[in-house]
């Protein structure tokens, strides 16, 4: 019976040894499977994270670009507003200086010169010369310099001074006012003042 017991013990040892090897093999396979699954999951997670980061970065870049464009537009708008304000102030000062000039003797000489220039164009009768109310005192002077038959009318459109002339029969008009001469300088001023908004 001792031989039988010995055989049974060896059989149990062999079975236990085989079971232990199978258990280790299964554990290794499970570990290997887990590693592969984890590696696969890690790759998936990293890929998804990379995609999300790229998306977030693109959205941030887009947001920054929009914000910069908005800021640039606001700065340009502010600069344009400031430029307009400075231009208006310069032209208001020029208008005041020209208004002061209309009170000096040189203004009458200017009106005479303008009337002489107009007389070369308006040679047919029916010419209407428009002046501002304050310049009625110069009517005779203007008439003499113009030399041709004309009619005078008061114009509320002339703020600073000068002469407007038109002849319906000839179909022509001329603006020799200080108002239009000043306004014509706006474009030149904007181009040459060094206040360009680029």
């Amino acid at each position: 019976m001792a031989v039988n017991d010995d055989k049974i013990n060896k059989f149990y040892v062999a079975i236990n040894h085989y079971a232990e090897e199978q258990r280790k093999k299964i554990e290794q396979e499970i570990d290997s499977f887990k590693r592969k699954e984890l590696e696969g999951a890690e790759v998936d997670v990293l890929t998804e994270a990379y995609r999300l980061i790229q998306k977030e970065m693109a959205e941030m870049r887009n947001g920054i670009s929009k914000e910069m464009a908005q800021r640039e537009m606001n700065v340009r708008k502010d600069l344009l507003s400031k430029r307009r304000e400075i231009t208006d102030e310069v032209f208001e000062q020029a208008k005041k200086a020209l208004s002061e000039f209309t009170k000096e003797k040189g203004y009458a000489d200017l009106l005479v010169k303008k009337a002489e220039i107009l007389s070369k164009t308006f040679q047919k009768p029916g010419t209407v010369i428009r002046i501002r109310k304050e310049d009625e005192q110069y009517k005779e002077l203007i008439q003499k310099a113009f030399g041709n038959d004309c009619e005078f009318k008061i114009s509320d459109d002339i703020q600073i001074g000068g002469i407007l002339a038109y002849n319906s029969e000839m179909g022509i008009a001329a603006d020799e006012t200080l108002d239009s001469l000043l306004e014509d300088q706006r474009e030149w001023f904007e181009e040459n003042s060094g206040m360009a908004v680029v």
Side-chain angles (χ1 to χ4, degrees):
M1 218 158 112
V3 176
N4 245 356
D5 284 341
D6 194 34
K7 281 185 179 181
I8 291 174
N9 274 341
K10 283 184 181 179
F11 180 70
Y12 281 135
V13 169
I15 287 177
N16 282 337
H17 182 66
Y18 177 75
E20 187 63 29
E21 283 180 5
Q22 290 301 313
R23 186 182 63 79
K24 285 181 183 178
K25 188 177 175 184
I26 289 169
E27 283 177 356
Q28 286 175 349
E29 286 176 3
I30 289 171
D31 285 344
S32 177
F33 178 77
K34 280 182 181 177
R35 263 194 312 277
K36 283 182 185 175
E37 286 297 312
L38 285 173
E39 285 173 6
E42 188 177 331
V43 167
D44 290 346
V45 167
L46 289 175
T47 302
E48 182 63 19
Y50 178 78
R51 191 185 66 73
L52 285 172
I53 290 169
Q54 291 303 313
K55 182 181 174 192
E56 285 294 320
M57 286 176 62
E59 286 175 2
M60 284 173 57
R61 271 193 232 98
N62 192 22
I64 290 169
S65 294
K66 282 181 182 177
E67 186 179 338
M68 292 303 290
Q70 184 64 43
R71 283 184 183 182
E72 185 177 338
M73 192 170 73
N74 289 342
V75 167
R76 281 177 176 272
K77 196 185 299 181
D78 290 346
L79 285 173
L80 285 170
S81 177
K82 188 66 176 170
R83 183 178 84 172
R84 193 176 309 112
E85 186 180 309
I86 291 169
T87 300
D88 289 346
E89 187 177 319
V90 165
F91 275 79
E92 191 57 38
Q93 292 298 321
K95 184 177 179 180
K96 285 179 185 174
L98 287 170
S99 292
E100 287 301 313
F101 169 71
T102 63
K103 297 171 186 167
E104 298 173 7
K105 183 190 178 318
Y107 178 61
D109 296 338
L110 177 74
L111 290 174
V112 166
K113 185 177 177 183
K114 297 293 183 186
E116 287 171 350
I117 291 168
L118 291 172
S119 70
K120 294 174 184 163
T121 305
F122 295 90
Q123 295 185 347
K124 289 189 177 179
T127 299
V128 176
I129 294 180
R130 298 177 65 141
I131 56 174
R132 64 187 184 131
K133 183 144 183 72
E134 295 87 339
D135 293 341
E136 281 189 293
Q137 61 184 321
Y138 302 116
K139 275 167 74 169
E140 286 181 34
L141 203 59
I142 294 167
Q143 172 67 53
K144 185 177 176 186
F146 187 69
N148 299 322
D149 184 39
C150 65
E151 175 188 347
F152 283 89
K153 288 191 177 178
I154 301 301
S155 174
D156 292 334
D157 294 335
I158 304 171
Q159 299 290 311
I160 304 170
I163 301 171
L164 281 170
Y166 67 91
N167 188 310
S168 300
E169 187 180 322
M170 294 176 71
I172 57 172
D175 186 342
E176 290 293 332
T177 62
L178 295 174
D179 304 65
S180 65
L181 291 173
L182 179 60
E183 199 55 39
D184 289 346
Q185 293 303 306
R186 269 191 191 269
E187 188 176 336
W188 179 90
F189 180 79
E190 287 174 2
E191 289 174 4
N192 296 285
S193 66
M195 295 191 305
V197 177
V198 186

